């Protein structure tokens, strides 16, 4: 069992849970020497899911999975797994309120104070220390380690390589349609394409006729099928982009959630006496064409109520986007998600621990005031 590092980074508990669960199941089943591990990381996922008591979001399959798994209400627990899989869905906790340092922190088990990364502009192995990662640990102990989608933050913070070759047995997979995420793919009421924040799309009409998370799911399923034929244990990490901005999602999801059913936060105002340094003027969102058209003053200009409602709805809609691709949200969906594939296709052949974690998470005004 991996000894705990001296740090107590919050998301290290994912690794601690993996190790505890591995030991538990190994003792319970002497015929099984090793277990496979599936780690799913969801960018900006907030716990707006039925298993967390949300009455609006439809997430029947992740709720079903959570009903016979370990569900974390807070990231302060060791895992005692069910027979085949455990799901850990973490709340809105992060060590730093941007992507790269949070991911480096929980994938190394070290706080940003140790990794010396608070933004996107350094690689911890060069600037802080040659700290091992969760996948690296598994790789060095005989596992085939694979990365699909956004696991490490791309760029300098992961050495432009997703920390290869240290963490991964093969070059990480990135969906080819990623390059269109911030381009003009949103068809507006004027019939023209725009680079919008709110972006319901006909999937067939976007470049390549697909979306990044859909491609990541398809790749992950292919890898799971391939690993079934091999005798080696595996660690598969799958990183989903949504509900990170821009909010691109299949527009047919809109029929699940009528706009009139969406309620706003009861107190969306900037708190009295809030220090300016504590306020995020969301400059990245202001760059989107639909937000620019609102002509909102910087930094505190009020957002029109109808745009607030559409924004909140879109956060909800991109959460089912994750659920659809990953967990087969509705019975009518033709695409089989990773976890249902895992659970339905002879689970004893893919005896695994399955962990789901969301980090950072959207808070559209609930915490103001």
């Amino acid at each position: 069992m991996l000894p705990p590092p001296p740090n107590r980074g919050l998301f290290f508990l994912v690794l601690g849970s993996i190790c505890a669960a591995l030991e538990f199941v190994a003792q319970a089943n002497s015929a099984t020497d090793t277990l496979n591990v599936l780690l799913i990381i969801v960018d900006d996922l907030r716990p707006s899911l039925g298993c967390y008591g949300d009455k609006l979001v439809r997430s029947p399959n992740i709720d079903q999975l959570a009903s016979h798994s370990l569900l974390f209400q807070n990231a302060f627990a060791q895992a005692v797994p069910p027979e085949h899989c455990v799901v850990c869905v973490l709340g809105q906790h992060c060590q730093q309120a941007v992507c790269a340092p949070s991911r480096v922190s929980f994938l190394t088990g070290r706080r940003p104070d140790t990794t010396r990364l608070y933004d996107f502009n350094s690689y911890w192995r060069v600037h802080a220390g040659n700290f091992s990662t969760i996948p690296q640990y598994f790789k060095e102990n005989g596992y085939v380690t694979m990365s699909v989608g956004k696991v490490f933050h791309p760029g300098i913070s992961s050495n432009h390589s997703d920390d290869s070759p240290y963490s991964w047995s093969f070059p990480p997979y990135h969906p080819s349609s990623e390059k269109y995420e911030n381009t003009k793919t949103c068809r507006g009421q004027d019939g023209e394409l725009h680079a919008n924040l709110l972006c319901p799309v006909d999937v067939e009409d976007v470049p390549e006729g697909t979306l990044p998370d859909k491609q990541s799911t398809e790749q992950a399923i292919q890898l799971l099928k391939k690993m079934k034929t091999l005798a080696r244990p595996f660690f598969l990490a799958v990183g989903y982009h949504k509900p990170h901005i821009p909010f691109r999602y299949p527009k047919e999801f809109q029929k699940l959630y009528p706009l009139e059913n969406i309620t706003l936060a009861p107190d969306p105002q900037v708190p009295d006496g809030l220090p300016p340094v504590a306020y995020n003027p969301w400059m990245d969102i202001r760059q989107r064409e639909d937000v620019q058209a609102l002509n909102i003053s910087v930094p505190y200009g009020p957002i029109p109520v109808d745009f607030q409602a559409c924004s909140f709805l879109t956060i909800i809609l991109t959460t089912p986007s994750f659920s659809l691709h990953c967990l087969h949200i509705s019975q009518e969906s033709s695409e089989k998600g990773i976890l249902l594939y895992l659970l339905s296709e002879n689970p004893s052949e893919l005896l695994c621990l399955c962990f789901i974690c969301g980090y950072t998470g959207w808070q559209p005004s609930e915490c103001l005031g």
Side-chain angles (χ1 to χ4, degrees):
M1 184 174 179
L2 181 66
N7 312 73
R8 295 181 182 177
L10 189 60
F11 275 90
F12 168 73
L13 290 166
V14 175
L15 177 55
S17 300
I18 290 174
C19 295
L22 282 169
E23 184 178 55
F24 180 91
V25 178
Q27 292 173 352
N29 185 358
S30 58
T32 302
D33 293 328
T34 54
L35 294 173
N36 301 310
V37 178
L38 173 62
L39 172 63
I40 297 174
I41 303 169
V42 190
D43 205 339
D44 283 336
L45 176 69
R46 53 186 271 140
S48 291
L49 299 165
C51 56
Y52 280 106
D54 193 295
K55 303 300 183 183
L56 179 62
V57 172
R58 303 183 185 186
S59 52
N61 290 286
I62 193 171
D63 298 343
Q64 180 183 7
L65 184 66
S67 70
H68 57 79
S69 302
L70 178 71
L71 181 69
F72 284 167
Q73 301 294 336
N74 245 319
F76 306 120
Q78 291 285 333
V80 179
E83 182 178 359
H84 292 305
C85 279
V86 57
V87 56
C88 306
V89 187
L90 307 186
Q92 292 173 251
H93 301 296
C94 63
Q95 296 88 324
Q96 179 73 357
V98 286
C99 181
S102 284
R103 288 180 183 248
V104 168
S105 181
F106 76 74
L107 287 168
T108 62
R110 288 167 169 81
R111 293 177 177 174
D113 289 346
T114 302
T115 64
R116 300 181 185 176
L117 182 63
Y118 302 98
D119 48 29
F120 303 89
N121 301 320
S122 66
Y123 179 43
W124 78 91
R125 295 188 190 272
V126 173
H127 294 277
N130 192 25
F131 305 132
S132 296
T133 68
I134 294 175
Q136 180 181 353
Y137 173 79
F138 280 93
K139 180 183 177 184
E140 292 173 352
N141 284 273
Y143 277 67
V144 177
T145 57
M146 300 166 287
S147 173
V148 173
K150 187 180 180 182
V151 179
F152 285 96
H153 189 84
I156 297 173
S157 62
S158 59
N159 202 32
H160 299 282
S161 66
D162 295 309
D163 195 44
S164 293
Y166 298 102
S167 290
W168 311 111
S169 303
F170 307 104
Y173 170 86
H174 287 278
S176 59
S177 61
E178 271 184 7
K179 58 182 174 286
Y180 305 111
E181 275 292 277
N182 294 304
T183 61
K184 295 186 177 185
T185 57
C186 314
R187 193 167 299 281
Q189 295 182 351
D190 58 2
E192 301 296 323
L193 294 177
H194 299 274
N196 287 344
L197 173 67
L198 313 182
C199 187
V201 297
D202 286 312
V203 176
E204 295 78 11
D205 292 341
V206 299
E208 300 188 27
T210 189
L211 296 172
D213 285 352
K214 186 175 189 296
Q215 287 185 291
S216 291
T217 298
E218 293 164 351
Q219 175 69 11
I221 291 175
Q222 290 303 311
L223 290 173
L224 289 175
K225 290 180 178 179
K226 180 178 180 180
M227 294 310 298
K228 283 181 67 174
T229 66
L230 302 180
R232 294 183 61 188
F234 66 84
F235 175 101
L236 172 60
V238 183
Y240 285 96
H241 284 257
K242 301 306 172 194
H244 192 283
I245 60 173
F247 298 129
R248 286 203 308 164
Y249 61 92
K251 70 178 184 181
E252 60 266 23
F253 283 8
Q254 291 176 316
K255 65 184 179 183
L256 297 174
Y257 303 96
L259 188 59
E260 57 269 21
N261 293 347
I262 303 300
T263 58
L264 299 179
D267 184 10
Q269 307 305 317
V270 177
D272 293 336
L274 180 74
V277 71
Y279 182 76
N280 179 5
W282 32 277
M283 300 306 295
D284 50 349
I285 291 178
R286 292 174 185 269
Q287 297 173 15
R288 312 290 167 168
E289 291 183 38
D290 52 348
V291 179
Q292 287 179 351
L294 299 174
N295 197 28
I296 301 170
S297 61
V298 178
Y300 301 116
I303 302 173
V305 171
D306 57 346
F307 196 85
Q308 288 185 47
C310 290
S311 299
F312 190 51
L313 171 61
T314 306
I315 293 172
I316 295 173
L317 288 169
T318 48
T319 297
S321 178
F322 150 71
S323 298
L324 171 68
H325 296 316
C326 180
L327 298 165
H328 190 54
I329 188 170
S330 67
Q331 296 301 318
E332 295 78 22
S333 302
S334 59
E335 181 183 4
K336 182 178 288 187
I338 293 176
L339 296 186
L340 286 193
Y341 171 81
L342 195 74
L343 296 173
S344 64
E345 300 286 333
N346 257 340
S348 61
E349 295 181 17
L350 278 175
L351 185 62
C352 79
L353 298 171
C354 176
F355 293 80
I356 304 174
C357 64
Y359 77 102
T360 310
W362 287 101
Q363 294 183 347
S365 300
E366 297 102 327
C367 295
L368 295 181

